[in-house]
Amino acid sequence: MNDAACLFCRIVERKLPADIVAEEEGLLAFKDVNPQAPIHLLIVPTEHVPSVADLTERQTPLIGRAIHFANRLAHRHQLTPAGYRLVINCGPQAGQSVSHLHLHLLGGRPLRWPPG
Ligand code: 5GP
Ligand code: ZN
Protein backbone atom coordinates (compact mmCIF):
# COMPACT_ATOMS: atom_id res chain seq x y z
CA MET A 1 0.00 0.00 0.00
CA ASN A 2 1.49 3.29 -1.05
CA ASP A 3 1.06 6.57 0.78
CA ALA A 4 -0.62 9.32 -1.27
CA ALA A 5 1.14 12.00 0.79
CA CYS A 6 4.60 10.50 0.25
CA LEU A 7 6.85 12.24 -2.27
CA PHE A 8 8.64 9.08 -3.40
CA CYS A 9 5.41 7.07 -3.62
CA ARG A 10 4.14 9.78 -5.96
CA ILE A 11 7.30 9.42 -8.08
CA VAL A 12 6.85 5.63 -8.10
CA GLU A 13 3.27 6.11 -9.28
CA ARG A 14 4.42 8.64 -11.94
CA LYS A 15 2.22 11.31 -10.35
CA LEU A 16 5.25 13.53 -9.76
CA PRO A 17 7.91 13.98 -12.44
CA ALA A 18 11.39 12.59 -11.86
CA ASP A 19 14.36 11.71 -14.01
CA ILE A 20 13.94 7.93 -13.81
CA VAL A 21 17.05 6.04 -14.90
CA ALA A 22 16.12 2.42 -14.25
CA GLU A 23 13.45 0.18 -12.84
CA GLU A 24 13.34 -3.42 -11.85
CA GLU A 25 10.93 -5.51 -9.87
CA GLY A 26 10.11 -3.70 -6.64
CA LEU A 27 12.78 -1.00 -7.09
CA LEU A 28 13.04 2.35 -8.90
CA ALA A 29 16.16 4.49 -9.50
CA PHE A 30 15.96 8.18 -10.30
CA LYS A 31 18.22 11.25 -10.19
CA ASP A 32 18.36 13.24 -6.97
CA VAL A 33 16.83 16.69 -7.60
CA ASN A 34 19.64 18.34 -5.61
CA PRO A 35 22.72 16.31 -6.57
CA GLN A 36 25.68 16.27 -4.20
CA ALA A 37 27.99 14.65 -6.76
CA PRO A 38 28.12 14.36 -10.58
CA ILE A 39 26.22 11.07 -10.23
CA HIS A 40 23.63 11.11 -7.47
CA LEU A 41 20.87 8.56 -7.81
CA LEU A 42 18.19 7.46 -5.36
CA ILE A 43 17.10 3.85 -5.30
CA VAL A 44 13.74 3.29 -3.65
CA PRO A 45 11.46 0.33 -3.05
CA THR A 46 8.22 0.77 -5.00
CA GLU A 47 6.41 -0.29 -1.84
CA HIS A 48 6.21 2.39 0.88
CA VAL A 49 8.66 1.68 3.71
CA PRO A 50 9.26 4.77 5.90
CA SER A 51 12.89 4.03 6.81
CA VAL A 52 15.44 1.25 6.98
CA ALA A 53 14.47 0.84 10.65
CA ASP A 54 10.94 -0.11 9.58
CA LEU A 55 11.92 -3.03 7.35
CA THR A 56 10.13 -6.20 8.28
CA GLU A 57 11.91 -9.52 8.00
CA ARG A 58 9.93 -10.18 4.83
CA GLN A 59 11.21 -6.90 3.35
CA THR A 60 14.91 -7.26 4.24
CA PRO A 61 15.87 -9.01 0.95
CA LEU A 62 14.91 -5.71 -0.75
CA ILE A 63 18.04 -4.09 0.68
CA GLY A 64 20.32 -6.73 -0.80
CA ARG A 65 18.59 -6.35 -4.14
CA ALA A 66 18.79 -2.53 -3.90
CA ILE A 67 22.56 -2.77 -3.31
CA HIS A 68 22.98 -5.13 -6.23
CA PHE A 69 20.90 -2.74 -8.39
CA ALA A 70 23.07 0.20 -7.22
CA ASN A 71 26.27 -1.71 -8.06
CA ARG A 72 25.04 -2.31 -11.59
CA LEU A 73 24.03 1.35 -11.97
CA ALA A 74 27.46 2.42 -10.67
CA HIS A 75 29.08 0.24 -13.29
CA ARG A 76 26.78 1.60 -16.00
CA HIS A 77 27.73 5.17 -15.00
CA GLN A 78 31.47 4.34 -15.17
CA LEU A 79 31.95 4.78 -11.41
CA THR A 80 34.17 1.71 -11.26
CA PRO A 81 37.03 1.25 -10.56
CA ALA A 82 37.23 4.83 -9.20
CA GLY A 83 34.61 4.08 -6.56
CA TYR A 84 31.30 5.32 -5.25
CA ARG A 85 29.36 5.64 -2.05
CA LEU A 86 26.07 4.08 -0.97
CA VAL A 87 24.27 5.86 1.87
CA ILE A 88 21.04 5.23 3.77
CA ASN A 89 20.08 7.97 6.22
CA CYS A 90 17.77 6.80 8.97
CA GLY A 91 15.87 9.28 11.12
CA PRO A 92 16.14 13.05 11.62
CA GLN A 93 19.55 13.16 13.30
CA ALA A 94 21.05 11.28 10.36
CA GLY A 95 19.48 13.76 7.95
CA GLN A 96 16.64 11.65 6.57
CA SER A 97 14.32 14.23 5.03
CA VAL A 98 11.99 11.99 3.00
CA SER A 99 10.18 9.25 4.93
CA HIS A 100 10.38 6.63 2.20
CA LEU A 101 13.38 4.34 2.37
CA HIS A 102 16.04 5.34 -0.18
CA LEU A 103 19.59 4.36 -0.96
CA HIS A 104 21.82 7.16 -2.24
CA LEU A 105 24.36 6.27 -4.94
CA LEU A 106 27.02 8.99 -5.14
CA GLY A 107 30.07 9.18 -7.34
CA GLY A 108 32.03 10.98 -10.02
CA ARG A 109 34.19 13.03 -7.66
CA PRO A 110 36.39 12.33 -4.62
CA LEU A 111 34.10 11.93 -1.59
CA ARG A 112 35.34 13.04 1.81
CA TRP A 113 35.08 10.86 4.90
CA PRO A 114 33.76 11.27 7.55
CA PRO A 115 30.78 13.07 5.98
CA GLY A 116 30.21 15.34 9.04
P1 5GP B 1 17.60 12.12 2.69
O1 5GP B 1 18.07 13.46 3.19
O2 5GP B 1 16.19 11.82 3.19
O3 5GP B 1 18.54 11.00 2.93
O4 5GP B 1 17.52 12.26 1.12
C1 5GP B 1 16.42 12.76 0.44
C2 5GP B 1 16.91 13.15 -0.91
O5 5GP B 1 15.80 13.32 -1.75
C3 5GP B 1 17.69 14.47 -0.93
O6 5GP B 1 19.00 14.23 -1.42
C4 5GP B 1 16.86 15.36 -1.84
O7 5GP B 1 17.65 16.19 -2.67
C5 5GP B 1 16.04 14.37 -2.63
N1 5GP B 1 14.73 14.87 -3.03
C6 5GP B 1 13.84 15.55 -2.26
N2 5GP B 1 12.74 15.82 -2.96
C7 5GP B 1 12.92 15.29 -4.19
C8 5GP B 1 12.10 15.25 -5.37
O8 5GP B 1 10.97 15.74 -5.42
N3 5GP B 1 12.63 14.63 -6.46
C9 5GP B 1 13.87 14.06 -6.44
N4 5GP B 1 14.29 13.49 -7.57
N5 5GP B 1 14.66 14.08 -5.35
C10 5GP B 1 14.19 14.68 -4.24
ZN1 ZN C 1 6.36 6.33 0.11
Side-chain angles (χ1 to χ4, degrees):
M1 245 286 269
N2 279 6
D3 178 348
C6 170
L7 204 60
F8 290 173
C9 281
R10 290 174 64 207
I11 288 175
V12 164
E13 289 163 4
R14 313 300 201 268
K15 289 181 179 152
L16 196 73
D19 204 337
I20 293 170
V21 298
E23 185 171 20
E24 62 172 49
E25 210 187 320
L27 296 166
L28 186 73
F30 54 90
K31 292 185 184 176
D32 194 296
V33 79
N34 181 24
Q36 302 301 309
I39 304 295
H40 187 172
L41 304 181
L42 300 173
I43 291 137
V44 306
T46 54
E47 175 181 22
H48 182 79
V49 180
S51 85
V52 76
D54 298 300
L55 279 172
T56 64
E57 197 172 350
R58 178 185 69 80
Q59 292 166 327
T60 49
L62 258 180
I63 287 296
R65 293 189 39 244
I67 290 174
H68 195 249
F69 191 24
N71 289 341
R72 283 180 278 122
L73 290 168
H75 200 256
R76 194 193 298 171
H77 287 84
Q78 282 94 40
L79 299 181
T80 52
Y84 51 95
R85 182 171 294 163
L86 302 178
V87 176
I88 299 175
N89 295 319
C90 179
Q93 205 157 64
Q96 184 179 1
S97 60
V98 178
S99 294
H100 181 128
L101 173 59
H102 48 283
L103 176 66
H104 295 257
L105 165 61
L106 296 143
R109 68 165 173 83
L111 300 165
R112 280 192 309 274
W113 190 264

